[in-house]
Amino acid sequence: MTTDELIWRVAGGSGDGVDSTSQNFTKALMRSGLHVFTHRHYPSRIRGGHTYVEIRASDEPVKSRGNGFNFLLALGDSFARNEDETAVYGDEEIKPLSENLDELHDGGIIVYDTGQIDAADIPDFEERADEHDWQVYPIDLRSIAQEHGREIMRNTAGVGVTAALIDMELDPIEELMREAMGEEMLEANLSVLQDAYDHVTAEFDTDTGLSVPEGEHDEEQVLLSGSHGISYAAIDEGCRFISGYPMTPWTDVFTILSQELEEMGGVAEQVEDEIAAAAAAVGASHAGAKAMSGSSGGGFALMSEPLGLAEMTETPLVLVEAMRAGPSTGMPTKTEQADLEHVLYSSQGDHSRVAFAPSDPLECYTQTRKAFEIAWEYQLPAIVIYDQKLQGEYRNVPKSFFDQQPNPDLGATLTEAELEDAPHDHTGRFQRFQTDVDVSPRSLPGQKNGRYLATGNEHWPNGQIAEDPTNRVEQVHRRLGKLDSIREDLNAMDESYQSYWGADDAEIGVIAWGSHQDTAEEAVEELAADGKPVKGLGVSEIMPFPKSEVTEFIESVDEVLIVEMNASAQFRGLVQKELGTYGEKLSSLLKYNGEPFRSSEIVEAVDLELNGGGEPTAQVTLQPAAGD
Amino acid sequence: MSGFNAISSEPDVQRDDYTPEIEPQATWCPGCGDFAVLKALKGALAELGKDPEEILLVTGIGCSSKTNSYFDSYGFHSIHGRPLPIARAAKMANPGLEVIAAGGDGDGYGIGGNHFTHSARENHDMTYIVFNNEVFGLTKGQSSPTSPKGHKSKTQKKGVAKDPVRPLSLGLSAGASYIARTAAVNPRQAQEILVEAIEHDGFAHVDFLTQCPTWNKDARQYVPYIDVQDSDDYDFDISDREEAFRMMYETENSLYDGKVLTGRYYKEEDRRTYQEEKRMRGEMPEEPLVERYFDDDYEWERSYDLLDRHA
Ligand SMILES: Cc1ncc(C[n+]2csc(CCOP(=O)(O)OP(=O)(O)O)c2C)c(N)n1
Ligand code: SF4
């Protein structure tokens, strides 16, 4: 156990306030100068059911949830009780303690609420605590909360106890409470906090050996999730129309934007289903508003027709695909990266779509902005792929990073003045889909001299339906050709969205994409620090596929391990499809149990590769290269 | 600024201003009822003096949805059953547009039934014309939601076992604020009704009985119609929901017996449109979203200020 970082897990029942408590505590840690990372685990249940949030805090930047944790605050599941205070859902009530012992580090701290949990109900608790040297603090948080406020303030009491045990000042926590609460609530919470702090210092030995590390940020930080990154990028890109239908985890972006767009003078629409959601975004975009929609797997499936329509009519559009474990309804609150093929290949015909898979909240922002710019410049749909992991992942990022100009530019859209000089057919219809150019700029309904027909059928330059073979081939080339131009554009940009880790001359390469890049990076850094010949590549631009960068990387090593959260090695399949070779060089590390990779699992797998094989432990699969 | 055109009607518009060079005979069969809808639509818009460039005609898929190939305005020929969500979002983005959605009875009452229900309930300010030929035309004669029970086709060999839907009652119960039925065999009334529907502020649903001589030769609606407004036998108050319901019930029963009643069935004058409702709640700006992108003086707000909450 390293004592230079805190990995704090707070566990309770859904609805017990675990979320808000952890967010405030995370902010307090951030404000005291630390780098933070949160991981959220929750069941598909509104009230009750075991849930936890893990916060990792360190004076060094943190990129993943880390391996295991060293502090457990077990609140007990208050929804497991009925009014007579007898447990009604079997052993649910003690789960916040019993379910969270497996990954607790040796010597770690346990605080549990004796007002809710009787540790004697967990048969082997004492033995395990002895065996692992856990420092156990049974405290009646419920009574402390009831005495000074209300029972729900058990959370606050738990935070007070935590502060005492990790030698943390209460100031940043109190300050946050002052900002967030009204007079009455505030007073009660402040006294619960202080009382819990005093109680544990008076009654227990608080010299735990674990203290919050000291850190300092050189500039102001904000705490953001991947969903916030996507939403704020949309706002900065001038997106003023969002349509959607709720589905976890997409609901996050949909909710944030529904709340914000109104203030920004935009329109948010909850519609009857996902077909309508995507179709509405197409309609708003066609009429001239920057528009966005999105969903998660099952809902995105319904969007495949409007998606194809946007490609055929060359309507700019941004869609978000927030992945969760599938297929079908799958595991609503568990993460997976198994919708890649769905996103790239769903809907009929040859595709002209762009896809980005950001790695962290900052990239969620930068890439969503890029998605809007490319969609409007090239008049095609751009899809941002992220997942349940990144959705609920909060991290600190420098506030000044967001000090960027908004971009309301409509890309390849003509003004009325420009339309006068634009090509028209002999009847006066605007030749929207000219075949001799890459992107043919569009007009907007209502503009003078801009009349044309947008249609999902193949069409002549003025939009009239056509099955003429020559025109067909020209139109297909033009639509698909955009991807080559976009690739050139992306390559020409200063900042690359792919990232590289480790030493140039390493022999083993690790590739990760989307939300798992940072975890892989941590693993590679650890291996490299250990003197292992490993380097890594994180891929955030998925389509148009970054052929040259991936090729170069693969060619520079002897073998490559592709890390992804699905059972069918979808990204590896994409690499082979796009590059047409290297099958014998690529093996896969796969995980599909709903829990994101830990960096230790990647480290272990690379070690196994280096030592010539074997099976990894835990629910992780190594799939050999095609030639093996 | 680019000069975005909100409604600026030019009074002197002719029917032919909506006629592109391409002829509908290119895809429509001789005698198809769709010709009559096209003609009535052009006539209505000319009568209203609408500039073709301020009209967005959004269609689905089907013979009837090809209308916008033969109609010279801004057009969006989309996907089967989905013209309504596209049309209503376009209207929200730019309320200056005159938005008309159109499609077949299969398109609107079958695959798009969900969108029909919800667009009507939301009372979007737009016109929805359903070309009701009681059959799937483009896919060659299968039964549609309005086909009479017993209608035979290659996929309903022994005659369809379902009762037809009742589009007018469906529109009314869903919440459309203007509902009428007209027929291709009655061009004068058809144009009048379309004029009224387009002028109506709210969701105007027009069930337009058309003929498909190719696949549906037996349809009763080819016979002479009775205009309910012209007849003393059918006196009812079109602003009264209950009376409208009763009349629709009668109309929808008698259609398949060969008694074709057409006319206006329901008109709600004082109901707010969806856009008005949203504006009232501060959920929608007064000016079209689209104009801002061309307005150099518009202050684009930035997410930077939102970040204060996260600090
Ligand atoms: C999703 C989808 N399903 C099926 C079709 C095939 N299809 C095209 S038009 C049509 C029905 C047309 O009937 P209707 O809407 O009544 O219009 P009509 O041709 O009679 O004017 C069907 C089923 C399609 N284009 N898309
Ligand atoms: S098939 Fe029927 S609906 Fe289609 S064009 Fe011919 S007559 Fe009209």
Side-chain angles (χ1 to χ4, degrees), chain A residues 27 238 260 269 272 399 416 426 446 448, chain B residues 3 5 21 51 88 274 293 308-310:
Chain A
K27 241 193 216 181
E260 304 300 347
E269 272 292 291
E272 58 271 30
K399 188 175 178 186
E416 287 191 339
H426 68 285
K448 287 265 167 252
Chain B
N5 191 57
E21 229 167 45
D51 179 345
R88 67 201 201 213
Y274 185 57
Y293 298 97
D308 289 341
R309 264 181 248 161
H310 301 273

mmCIF file with all atom_site columns, all heavy atoms in Angstrom, chain A residues 27 238 260 269 272 399 416 426 446 448, chain B residues 3 5 21 51 88 274 293 308-310:
data_model
loop_
_atom_site.group_PDB
_atom_site.id
_atom_site.type_symbol
_atom_site.label_atom_id
_atom_site.label_alt_id
_atom_site.label_comp_id
_atom_site.label_asym_id
_atom_site.label_entity_id
_atom_site.label_seq_id
_atom_site.pdbx_PDB_ins_code
_atom_site.Cartn_x
_atom_site.Cartn_y
_atom_site.Cartn_z
_atom_site.occupancy
_atom_site.B_iso_or_equiv
_atom_site.pdbx_formal_charge
_atom_site.auth_seq_id
_atom_site.auth_comp_id
_atom_site.auth_asym_id
_atom_site.auth_atom_id
_atom_site.pdbx_PDB_model_num
ATOM 1   N N   . LYS A 1 27  ? -14.362 17.359 -4.679  1.00 0.00 ? 27  LYS A N   1
ATOM 2   C CA  . LYS A 1 27  ? -14.063 18.779 -4.897  1.00 0.00 ? 27  LYS A CA  1
ATOM 3   C C   . LYS A 1 27  ? -13.179 19.329 -3.783  1.00 0.00 ? 27  LYS A C   1
ATOM 4   O O   . LYS A 1 27  ? -12.247 20.088 -4.031  1.00 0.00 ? 27  LYS A O   1
ATOM 5   C CB  . LYS A 1 27  ? -15.375 19.562 -4.941  1.00 0.00 ? 27  LYS A CB  1
ATOM 6   C CG  . LYS A 1 27  ? -15.595 20.275 -6.258  1.00 0.00 ? 27  LYS A CG  1
ATOM 7   C CD  . LYS A 1 27  ? -16.717 21.262 -6.106  1.00 0.00 ? 27  LYS A CD  1
ATOM 8   C CE  . LYS A 1 27  ? -17.526 21.334 -7.382  1.00 0.00 ? 27  LYS A CE  1
ATOM 9   N NZ  . LYS A 1 27  ? -18.612 22.296 -7.299  1.00 0.00 ? 27  LYS A NZ  1
ATOM 10  N N   . GLY A 1 238 ? -21.684 26.219 -30.642 1.00 0.00 ? 238 GLY A N   1
ATOM 11  C CA  . GLY A 1 238 ? -22.912 26.842 -31.136 1.00 0.00 ? 238 GLY A CA  1
ATOM 12  C C   . GLY A 1 238 ? -24.042 25.854 -31.350 1.00 0.00 ? 238 GLY A C   1
ATOM 13  O O   . GLY A 1 238 ? -25.003 26.165 -32.058 1.00 0.00 ? 238 GLY A O   1
ATOM 14  N N   . GLU A 1 260 ? -28.968 23.311 -19.798 1.00 0.00 ? 260 GLU A N   1
ATOM 15  C CA  . GLU A 1 260 ? -28.176 24.492 -20.155 1.00 0.00 ? 260 GLU A CA  1
ATOM 16  C C   . GLU A 1 260 ? -28.657 25.212 -21.409 1.00 0.00 ? 260 GLU A C   1
ATOM 17  O O   . GLU A 1 260 ? -28.563 26.427 -21.502 1.00 0.00 ? 260 GLU A O   1
ATOM 18  C CB  . GLU A 1 260 ? -26.691 24.110 -20.349 1.00 0.00 ? 260 GLU A CB  1
ATOM 19  C CG  . GLU A 1 260 ? -26.035 23.421 -19.164 1.00 0.00 ? 260 GLU A CG  1
ATOM 20  C CD  . GLU A 1 260 ? -26.043 24.257 -17.894 1.00 0.00 ? 260 GLU A CD  1
ATOM 21  O OE1 . GLU A 1 260 ? -26.324 25.473 -17.962 1.00 0.00 ? 260 GLU A OE1 1
ATOM 22  O OE2 . GLU A 1 260 ? -25.803 23.681 -16.815 1.00 0.00 ? 260 GLU A OE2 1
ATOM 23  N N   . GLU A 1 269 ? -35.318 19.067 -26.830 1.00 0.00 ? 269 GLU A N   1
ATOM 24  C CA  . GLU A 1 269 ? -36.540 18.332 -27.106 1.00 0.00 ? 269 GLU A CA  1
ATOM 25  C C   . GLU A 1 269 ? -36.441 16.888 -26.656 1.00 0.00 ? 269 GLU A C   1
ATOM 26  O O   . GLU A 1 269 ? -35.606 16.137 -27.150 1.00 0.00 ? 269 GLU A O   1
ATOM 27  C CB  . GLU A 1 269 ? -36.790 18.321 -28.622 1.00 0.00 ? 269 GLU A CB  1
ATOM 28  C CG  . GLU A 1 269 ? -37.566 19.504 -29.121 1.00 0.00 ? 269 GLU A CG  1
ATOM 29  C CD  . GLU A 1 269 ? -38.998 19.467 -28.605 1.00 0.00 ? 269 GLU A CD  1
ATOM 30  O OE1 . GLU A 1 269 ? -39.780 18.602 -29.026 1.00 0.00 ? 269 GLU A OE1 1
ATOM 31  O OE2 . GLU A 1 269 ? -39.312 20.328 -27.761 1.00 0.00 ? 269 GLU A OE2 1
ATOM 32  N N   . GLU A 1 272 ? -40.504 11.238 -28.868 1.00 0.00 ? 272 GLU A N   1
ATOM 33  C CA  . GLU A 1 272 ? -41.184 9.980  -28.586 1.00 0.00 ? 272 GLU A CA  1
ATOM 34  C C   . GLU A 1 272 ? -40.299 8.738  -28.665 1.00 0.00 ? 272 GLU A C   1
ATOM 35  O O   . GLU A 1 272 ? -40.623 7.724  -28.064 1.00 0.00 ? 272 GLU A O   1
ATOM 36  C CB  . GLU A 1 272 ? -42.411 9.827  -29.500 1.00 0.00 ? 272 GLU A CB  1
ATOM 37  C CG  . GLU A 1 272 ? -42.137 9.871  -31.004 1.00 0.00 ? 272 GLU A CG  1
ATOM 38  C CD  . GLU A 1 272 ? -42.191 11.286 -31.566 1.00 0.00 ? 272 GLU A CD  1
ATOM 39  O OE1 . GLU A 1 272 ? -41.872 12.230 -30.831 1.00 0.00 ? 272 GLU A OE1 1
ATOM 40  O OE2 . GLU A 1 272 ? -42.544 11.457 -32.757 1.00 0.00 ? 272 GLU A OE2 1
ATOM 41  N N   . LYS A 1 399 ? -9.039  25.080 -15.378 1.00 0.00 ? 399 LYS A N   1
ATOM 42  C CA  . LYS A 1 399 ? -10.163 25.866 -15.846 1.00 0.00 ? 399 LYS A CA  1
ATOM 43  C C   . LYS A 1 399 ? -9.800  26.685 -17.088 1.00 0.00 ? 399 LYS A C   1
ATOM 44  O O   . LYS A 1 399 ? -10.595 26.840 -18.015 1.00 0.00 ? 399 LYS A O   1
ATOM 45  C CB  . LYS A 1 399 ? -10.604 26.791 -14.715 1.00 0.00 ? 399 LYS A CB  1
ATOM 46  C CG  . LYS A 1 399 ? -11.887 27.530 -15.011 1.00 0.00 ? 399 LYS A CG  1
ATOM 47  C CD  . LYS A 1 399 ? -12.327 28.344 -13.808 1.00 0.00 ? 399 LYS A CD  1
ATOM 48  C CE  . LYS A 1 399 ? -13.595 29.112 -14.140 1.00 0.00 ? 399 LYS A CE  1
ATOM 49  N NZ  . LYS A 1 399 ? -13.982 30.019 -13.063 1.00 0.00 ? 399 LYS A NZ  1
ATOM 50  N N   . GLU A 1 416 ? -26.834 34.180 -48.721 1.00 0.00 ? 416 GLU A N   1
ATOM 51  C CA  . GLU A 1 416 ? -27.663 34.488 -49.892 1.00 0.00 ? 416 GLU A CA  1
ATOM 52  C C   . GLU A 1 416 ? -26.835 35.156 -50.984 1.00 0.00 ? 416 GLU A C   1
ATOM 53  O O   . GLU A 1 416 ? -27.027 34.908 -52.172 1.00 0.00 ? 416 GLU A O   1
ATOM 54  C CB  . GLU A 1 416 ? -28.839 35.360 -49.478 1.00 0.00 ? 416 GLU A CB  1
ATOM 55  C CG  . GLU A 1 416 ? -29.863 34.562 -48.706 1.00 0.00 ? 416 GLU A CG  1
ATOM 56  C CD  . GLU A 1 416 ? -31.170 35.295 -48.499 1.00 0.00 ? 416 GLU A CD  1
ATOM 57  O OE1 . GLU A 1 416 ? -31.179 36.539 -48.595 1.00 0.00 ? 416 GLU A OE1 1
ATOM 58  O OE2 . GLU A 1 416 ? -32.173 34.622 -48.235 1.00 0.00 ? 416 GLU A OE2 1
ATOM 59  N N   . HIS A 1 426 ? -30.764 24.786 -65.293 1.00 0.00 ? 426 HIS A N   1
ATOM 60  C CA  . HIS A 1 426 ? -31.406 25.739 -66.186 1.00 0.00 ? 426 HIS A CA  1
ATOM 61  C C   . HIS A 1 426 ? -32.803 26.130 -65.717 1.00 0.00 ? 426 HIS A C   1
ATOM 62  O O   . HIS A 1 426 ? -33.357 27.112 -66.180 1.00 0.00 ? 426 HIS A O   1
ATOM 63  C CB  . HIS A 1 426 ? -31.438 25.196 -67.618 1.00 0.00 ? 426 HIS A CB  1
ATOM 64  C CG  . HIS A 1 426 ? -32.343 24.009 -67.762 1.00 0.00 ? 426 HIS A CG  1
ATOM 65  N ND1 . HIS A 1 426 ? -31.993 22.763 -67.294 1.00 0.00 ? 426 HIS A ND1 1
ATOM 66  C CD2 . HIS A 1 426 ? -33.578 23.887 -68.287 1.00 0.00 ? 426 HIS A CD2 1
ATOM 67  C CE1 . HIS A 1 426 ? -32.978 21.915 -67.539 1.00 0.00 ? 426 HIS A CE1 1
ATOM 68  N NE2 . HIS A 1 426 ? -33.965 22.579 -68.136 1.00 0.00 ? 426 HIS A NE2 1
ATOM 69  N N   . GLY A 1 446 ? -35.369 28.723 -46.988 1.00 0.00 ? 446 GLY A N   1
ATOM 70  C CA  . GLY A 1 446 ? -35.701 30.105 -46.677 1.00 0.00 ? 446 GLY A CA  1
ATOM 71  C C   . GLY A 1 446 ? -34.794 31.091 -47.386 1.00 0.00 ? 446 GLY A C   1
ATOM 72  O O   . GLY A 1 446 ? -35.133 32.248 -47.556 1.00 0.00 ? 446 GLY A O   1
ATOM 73  N N   . LYS A 1 448 ? -32.868 32.875 -50.500 1.00 0.00 ? 448 LYS A N   1
ATOM 74  C CA  . LYS A 1 448 ? -33.166 33.158 -51.907 1.00 0.00 ? 448 LYS A CA  1
ATOM 75  C C   . LYS A 1 448 ? -32.227 32.360 -52.803 1.00 0.00 ? 448 LYS A C   1
ATOM 76  O O   . LYS A 1 448 ? -31.041 32.234 -52.497 1.00 0.00 ? 448 LYS A O   1
ATOM 77  C CB  . LYS A 1 448 ? -32.955 34.647 -52.200 1.00 0.00 ? 448 LYS A CB  1
ATOM 78  C CG  . LYS A 1 448 ? -34.026 35.537 -51.625 1.00 0.00 ? 448 LYS A CG  1
ATOM 79  C CD  . LYS A 1 448 ? -35.102 35.811 -52.677 1.00 0.00 ? 448 LYS A CD  1
ATOM 80  C CE  . LYS A 1 448 ? -36.328 36.420 -52.024 1.00 0.00 ? 448 LYS A CE  1
ATOM 81  N NZ  . LYS A 1 448 ? -37.464 35.494 -51.968 1.00 0.00 ? 448 LYS A NZ  1
ATOM 82  N N   . GLY B 2 3   ? -29.113 38.033 -44.655 1.00 0.00 ? 3   GLY B N   1
ATOM 83  C CA  . GLY B 2 3   ? -30.480 38.332 -45.060 1.00 0.00 ? 3   GLY B CA  1
ATOM 84  C C   . GLY B 2 3   ? -31.265 37.051 -45.011 1.00 0.00 ? 3   GLY B C   1
ATOM 85  O O   . GLY B 2 3   ? -31.439 36.381 -46.025 1.00 0.00 ? 3   GLY B O   1
ATOM 86  N N   . ASN B 2 5   ? -34.542 34.967 -44.734 1.00 0.00 ? 5   ASN B N   1
ATOM 87  C CA  . ASN B 2 5   ? -35.862 35.289 -45.147 1.00 0.00 ? 5   ASN B CA  1
ATOM 88  C C   . ASN B 2 5   ? -36.889 34.702 -44.204 1.00 0.00 ? 5   ASN B C   1
ATOM 89  O O   . ASN B 2 5   ? -37.075 33.517 -44.195 1.00 0.00 ? 5   ASN B O   1
ATOM 90  C CB  . ASN B 2 5   ? -35.865 34.545 -46.443 1.00 0.00 ? 5   ASN B CB  1
ATOM 91  C CG  . ASN B 2 5   ? -36.862 34.698 -47.390 1.00 0.00 ? 5   ASN B CG  1
ATOM 92  O OD1 . ASN B 2 5   ? -37.029 35.800 -47.768 1.00 0.00 ? 5   ASN B OD1 1
ATOM 93  N ND2 . ASN B 2 5   ? -37.472 33.646 -47.809 1.00 0.00 ? 5   ASN B ND2 1
ATOM 94  N N   . GLU B 2 21  ? -39.334 21.597 -63.898 1.00 0.00 ? 21  GLU B N   1
ATOM 95  C CA  . GLU B 2 21  ? -39.463 21.108 -65.258 1.00 0.00 ? 21  GLU B CA  1
ATOM 96  C C   . GLU B 2 21  ? -39.878 19.639 -65.335 1.00 0.00 ? 21  GLU B C   1
ATOM 97  O O   . GLU B 2 21  ? -40.577 19.224 -66.230 1.00 0.00 ? 21  GLU B O   1
ATOM 98  C CB  . GLU B 2 21  ? -38.144 21.293 -65.987 1.00 0.00 ? 21  GLU B CB  1
ATOM 99  C CG  . GLU B 2 21  ? -38.352 21.963 -67.320 1.00 0.00 ? 21  GLU B CG  1
ATOM 100 C CD  . GLU B 2 21  ? -37.052 22.436 -67.907 1.00 0.00 ? 21  GLU B CD  1
ATOM 101 O OE1 . GLU B 2 21  ? -36.079 21.660 -67.868 1.00 0.00 ? 21  GLU B OE1 1
ATOM 102 O OE2 . GLU B 2 21  ? -37.010 23.585 -68.399 1.00 0.00 ? 21  GLU B OE2 1
ATOM 103 N N   . ASP B 2 51  ? -44.215 32.482 -51.171 1.00 0.00 ? 51  ASP B N   1
ATOM 104 C CA  . ASP B 2 51  ? -43.003 32.394 -51.967 1.00 0.00 ? 51  ASP B CA  1
ATOM 105 C C   . ASP B 2 51  ? -42.464 30.958 -51.880 1.00 0.00 ? 51  ASP B C   1
ATOM 106 O O   . ASP B 2 51  ? -42.281 30.439 -50.778 1.00 0.00 ? 51  ASP B O   1
ATOM 107 C CB  . ASP B 2 51  ? -41.986 33.383 -51.364 1.00 0.00 ? 51  ASP B CB  1
ATOM 108 C CG  . ASP B 2 51  ? -40.658 33.367 -52.102 1.00 0.00 ? 51  ASP B CG  1
ATOM 109 O OD1 . ASP B 2 51  ? -40.408 32.423 -52.870 1.00 0.00 ? 51  ASP B OD1 1
ATOM 110 O OD2 . ASP B 2 51  ? -39.876 34.307 -51.874 1.00 0.00 ? 51  ASP B OD2 1
ATOM 111 N N   . ARG B 2 88  ? -41.018 18.969 -37.892 1.00 0.00 ? 88  ARG B N   1
ATOM 112 C CA  . ARG B 2 88  ? -41.289 19.817 -36.724 1.00 0.00 ? 88  ARG B CA  1
ATOM 113 C C   . ARG B 2 88  ? -40.012 20.410 -36.160 1.00 0.00 ? 88  ARG B C   1
ATOM 114 O O   . ARG B 2 88  ? -40.001 21.543 -35.663 1.00 0.00 ? 88  ARG B O   1
ATOM 115 C CB  . ARG B 2 88  ? -42.147 19.083 -35.694 1.00 0.00 ? 88  ARG B CB  1
ATOM 116 C CG  . ARG B 2 88  ? -41.530 17.939 -35.021 1.00 0.00 ? 88  ARG B CG  1
ATOM 117 C CD  . ARG B 2 88  ? -42.512 16.976 -34.412 1.00 0.00 ? 88  ARG B CD  1
ATOM 118 N NE  . ARG B 2 88  ? -41.749 16.250 -33.410 1.00 0.00 ? 88  ARG B NE  1
ATOM 119 C CZ  . ARG B 2 88  ? -41.921 15.001 -33.068 1.00 0.00 ? 88  ARG B CZ  1
ATOM 120 N NH1 . ARG B 2 88  ? -42.894 14.289 -33.580 1.00 0.00 ? 88  ARG B NH1 1
ATOM 121 N NH2 . ARG B 2 88  ? -41.164 14.453 -32.179 1.00 0.00 ? 88  ARG B NH2 1
ATOM 122 N N   . TYR B 2 274 ? -47.231 24.471 -30.086 1.00 0.00 ? 274 TYR B N   1
ATOM 123 C CA  . TYR B 2 274 ? -46.139 23.957 -29.262 1.00 0.00 ? 274 TYR B CA  1
ATOM 124 C C   . TYR B 2 274 ? -45.053 25.016 -29.095 1.00 0.00 ? 274 TYR B C   1
ATOM 125 O O   . TYR B 2 274 ? -44.514 25.209 -28.004 1.00 0.00 ? 274 TYR B O   1
ATOM 126 C CB  . TYR B 2 274 ? -45.570 22.695 -29.903 1.00 0.00 ? 274 TYR B CB  1
ATOM 127 C CG  . TYR B 2 274 ? -44.520 22.009 -29.072 1.00 0.00 ? 274 TYR B CG  1
ATOM 128 C CD1 . TYR B 2 274 ? -44.816 21.596 -27.778 1.00 0.00 ? 274 TYR B CD1 1
ATOM 129 C CD2 . TYR B 2 274 ? -43.244 21.771 -29.571 1.00 0.00 ? 274 TYR B CD2 1
ATOM 130 C CE1 . TYR B 2 274 ? -43.866 20.955 -27.006 1.00 0.00 ? 274 TYR B CE1 1
ATOM 131 C CE2 . TYR B 2 274 ? -42.288 21.130 -28.807 1.00 0.00 ? 274 TYR B CE2 1
ATOM 132 C CZ  . TYR B 2 274 ? -42.596 20.722 -27.531 1.00 0.00 ? 274 TYR B CZ  1
ATOM 133 O OH  . TYR B 2 274 ? -41.655 20.088 -26.772 1.00 0.00 ? 274 TYR B OH  1
ATOM 134 N N   . TYR B 2 293 ? -26.711 32.534 -36.539 1.00 0.00 ? 293 TYR B N   1
ATOM 135 C CA  . TYR B 2 293 ? -25.450 32.135 -37.165 1.00 0.00 ? 293 TYR B CA  1
ATOM 136 C C   . TYR B 2 293 ? -25.012 33.159 -38.213 1.00 0.00 ? 293 TYR B C   1
ATOM 137 O O   . TYR B 2 293 ? -23.867 33.197 -38.607 1.00 0.00 ? 293 TYR B O   1
ATOM 138 C CB  . TYR B 2 293 ? -25.566 30.750 -37.799 1.00 0.00 ? 293 TYR B CB  1
ATOM 139 C CG  . TYR B 2 293 ? -25.874 29.668 -36.794 1.00 0.00 ? 293 TYR B CG  1
ATOM 140 C CD1 . TYR B 2 293 ? -27.176 29.221 -36.594 1.00 0.00 ? 293 TYR B CD1 1
ATOM 141 C CD2 . TYR B 2 293 ? -24.862 29.102 -36.028 1.00 0.00 ? 293 TYR B CD2 1
ATOM 142 C CE1 . TYR B 2 293 ? -27.454 28.231 -35.669 1.00 0.00 ? 293 TYR B CE1 1
ATOM 143 C CE2 . TYR B 2 293 ? -25.130 28.108 -35.096 1.00 0.00 ? 293 TYR B CE2 1
ATOM 144 C CZ  . TYR B 2 293 ? -26.438 27.671 -34.920 1.00 0.00 ? 293 TYR B CZ  1
ATOM 145 O OH  . TYR B 2 293 ? -26.710 26.687 -33.995 1.00 0.00 ? 293 TYR B OH  1
ATOM 146 N N   . ASP B 2 308 ? -17.875 27.712 -13.395 1.00 0.00 ? 308 ASP B N   1
ATOM 147 C CA  . ASP B 2 308 ? -17.805 28.190 -12.016 1.00 0.00 ? 308 ASP B CA  1
ATOM 148 C C   . ASP B 2 308 ? -18.414 27.185 -11.055 1.00 0.00 ? 308 ASP B C   1
ATOM 149 O O   . ASP B 2 308 ? -17.957 27.015 -9.941  1.00 0.00 ? 308 ASP B O   1
ATOM 150 C CB  . ASP B 2 308 ? -18.527 29.544 -11.900 1.00 0.00 ? 308 ASP B CB  1
ATOM 151 C CG  . ASP B 2 308 ? -17.715 30.625 -12.582 1.00 0.00 ? 308 ASP B CG  1
ATOM 152 O OD1 . ASP B 2 308 ? -16.498 30.406 -12.788 1.00 0.00 ? 308 ASP B OD1 1
ATOM 153 O OD2 . ASP B 2 308 ? -18.289 31.664 -12.945 1.00 0.00 ? 308 ASP B OD2 1
ATOM 154 N N   . ARG B 2 309 ? -19.457 26.532 -11.519 1.00 0.00 ? 309 ARG B N   1
ATOM 155 C CA  . ARG B 2 309 ? -20.104 25.519 -10.696 1.00 0.00 ? 309 ARG B CA  1
ATOM 156 C C   . ARG B 2 309 ? -19.191 24.350 -10.367 1.00 0.00 ? 309 ARG B C   1
ATOM 157 O O   . ARG B 2 309 ? -19.451 23.587 -9.463  1.00 0.00 ? 309 ARG B O   1
ATOM 158 C CB  . ARG B 2 309 ? -21.249 24.918 -11.507 1.00 0.00 ? 309 ARG B CB  1
ATOM 159 C CG  . ARG B 2 309 ? -22.564 25.521 -11.229 1.00 0.00 ? 309 ARG B CG  1
ATOM 160 C CD  . ARG B 2 309 ? -23.556 24.803 -12.077 1.00 0.00 ? 309 ARG B CD  1
ATOM 161 N NE  . ARG B 2 309 ? -24.042 25.719 -13.083 1.00 0.00 ? 309 ARG B NE  1
ATOM 162 C CZ  . ARG B 2 309 ? -24.639 25.335 -14.188 1.00 0.00 ? 309 ARG B CZ  1
ATOM 163 N NH1 . ARG B 2 309 ? -24.784 24.056 -14.450 1.00 0.00 ? 309 ARG B NH1 1
ATOM 164 N NH2 . ARG B 2 309 ? -25.079 26.215 -15.035 1.00 0.00 ? 309 ARG B NH2 1
ATOM 165 N N   . HIS B 2 310 ? -18.201 24.164 -11.194 1.00 0.00 ? 310 HIS B N   1
ATOM 166 C CA  . HIS B 2 310 ? -17.369 22.966 -11.034 1.00 0.00 ? 310 HIS B CA  1
ATOM 167 C C   . HIS B 2 310 ? -16.054 23.246 -10.320 1.00 0.00 ? 310 HIS B C   1
ATOM 168 O O   . HIS B 2 310 ? -15.248 22.368 -10.160 1.00 0.00 ? 310 HIS B O   1
ATOM 169 C CB  . HIS B 2 310 ? -17.066 22.364 -12.401 1.00 0.00 ? 310 HIS B CB  1
ATOM 170 C CG  . HIS B 2 310 ? -18.294 21.986 -13.159 1.00 0.00 ? 310 HIS B CG  1
ATOM 171 N ND1 . HIS B 2 310 ? -18.901 20.771 -13.005 1.00 0.00 ? 310 HIS B ND1 1
ATOM 172 C CD2 . HIS B 2 310 ? -19.036 22.673 -14.041 1.00 0.00 ? 310 HIS B CD2 1
ATOM 173 C CE1 . HIS B 2 310 ? -19.971 20.726 -13.780 1.00 0.00 ? 310 HIS B CE1 1
ATOM 174 N NE2 . HIS B 2 310 ? -20.072 21.864 -14.415 1.00 0.00 ? 310 HIS B NE2 1
#
